[in-house]
Amino acid sequence: MVTVNLGMLHYILDHVYGAFVHRTKITPPFFSRGWGGTKLELLERLISQLFPEVEGQNWPPSLIQPIWKTVWDTQNACLREGVFRTPCDEQLLNALPPESHNARVAFLVPKSVPPQKMACVVHLAGTGDHTFERRLRLGGPLLKQNIATMVLESPFYGQRRPMLQRGAKLLCVSDLLLLGRATIEEARSLLYWLDSEAGFGKMGVCGLSMGGVHAAMVGSLHPTPVATLPFLSPHSAVVAFCEGILKHATAWEALREDLAAKEAAMTLEEVRERMRNVLSLTDVTRFPIPKNPNAIIFVAATDDGYIPKHSVLELQKAWPGSEVRWVTGGHVSSFLLHNDEFRKAIVDGLNRLEWKEPAL
């Protein structure tokens, strides 16, 4: 009798999927236009400013005023879509492509109770998640538990994608940092809007893969306690692009040529080292511990070809009090099969928060 190691199968599935999507020439690689020149220097400076000098001191989120239209409305729930100007400051706004200047959100809300007795979770996009649908499907069943879902379309994705960009394949390394920095700003503003304008009693932020890295950063930098729920997420983009399957989807030769035009000629290993240094800015373990560590739940996969186990454990070690839950599978299979585990983590994370005191 032949016994099959399921874990190995899940891991192989990740590599087969990765080879099909990233190694074939169906789509261009990531960063085919190089590092991003002066934009990269600007982003490196702006991201290093994210770390507060004093522990627990965060800059206040910007107030936004979304313009809403109703998509559908039933007895039990309502789906609206909103548009707002990205709250990024002028330097970031000038660096963003014009297509990304306006942010789009979908907002799915139950009608059974008033907002102060309801929670809302902001769902951030994973790599290649250009639409609202998948995240609305994840959040939809939570309506029964009085949990609303707010889905943010990422800069560089969906209707915010620059004209020259193919799919999710960002053209420059600076675009990855810019996408992250703008997403943090927009998600914090949405949480602030949910709290101060919509009056929700509890808030959370979640995301899959790249979206989970951004969710962890938002949870860390938000001035009030929120449930922080990263799913299938590394501790840093270094892991994804220098260790995991996406290293096969990166235009290393174009990056080397871009550096050679400005600096001395480099080996590919030196180019990868430069990438590690740049992407170390996305290392979540450098960010402050969120205000309520026991409302942080990481969900990780046992046989993930994109994210090694050590990366998840580094997050847990950096944020004492957080919880890691393991699901059996790889990155792709867990993404498809374990939505119930992600929903359970959302419910449990929110349950570990206190209800906000009603305003007098």
Side-chain angles (χ1 to χ4, degrees), residues 68-226:
W68 297 102
K69 67 167 190 189
T70 301
V71 179
W72 53 254
D73 198 343
T74 67
Q75 258 186 312
N76 304 318
C78 169
L79 177 65
R80 291 188 291 165
E81 285 183 9
V83 180
F84 60 94
R85 181 86 165 160
T86 183
C88 296
D89 65 24
E90 205 168 328
Q91 279 184 306
L92 274 176
L93 199 63
N94 291 338
L96 276 170
E99 296 92 337
S100 291
H101 285 192
N102 286 328
R104 291 176 66 242
V105 286
F107 190 27
L108 182 61
V109 189
K111 287 184 169 178
S112 43
V113 292
Q116 62 268 27
K117 295 188 177 171
M118 219 189 282
C120 185
V121 176
V122 176
H123 292 239
L124 303 179
T127 302
D129 190 357
H130 288 272
T131 65
F132 297 139
E133 276 68 31
R134 194 202 59 72
R135 285 171 284 162
L136 285 173
R137 280 202 304 275
L138 178 62
L142 298 172
L143 288 169
K144 293 189 190 104
Q145 300 188 57
N146 296 325
I147 298 170
T149 292
M150 176 81 84
V151 180
L152 173 65
E153 181 181 72
S154 279
F156 294 91
Y157 276 29
Q159 290 183 25
R160 306 179 72 187
R161 181 164 58 91
M163 200 168 59
L164 296 174
Q165 181 185 303
R166 294 272 306 281
K169 298 297 175 67
L170 302 171
L171 295 170
C172 301
V173 175
S174 59
D175 291 346
L176 183 68
L177 298 182
L178 193 47
L179 186 161
R181 184 69 177 78
T183 297
I184 290 169
E185 208 65 52
E186 290 168 6
R188 291 173 81 245
S189 290
L190 285 169
L191 288 168
Y192 184 52
W193 182 87
L194 288 165
D195 182 4
S196 61
E197 298 290 307
F200 278 83
K202 291 182 184 184
M203 275 90 57
V205 59
C206 75
L208 274 153
S209 199
M210 173 184 79
V213 176
H214 295 151
M217 293 173 176
V218 171
S220 161
L221 296 170
H222 200 63
T224 58
V226 292

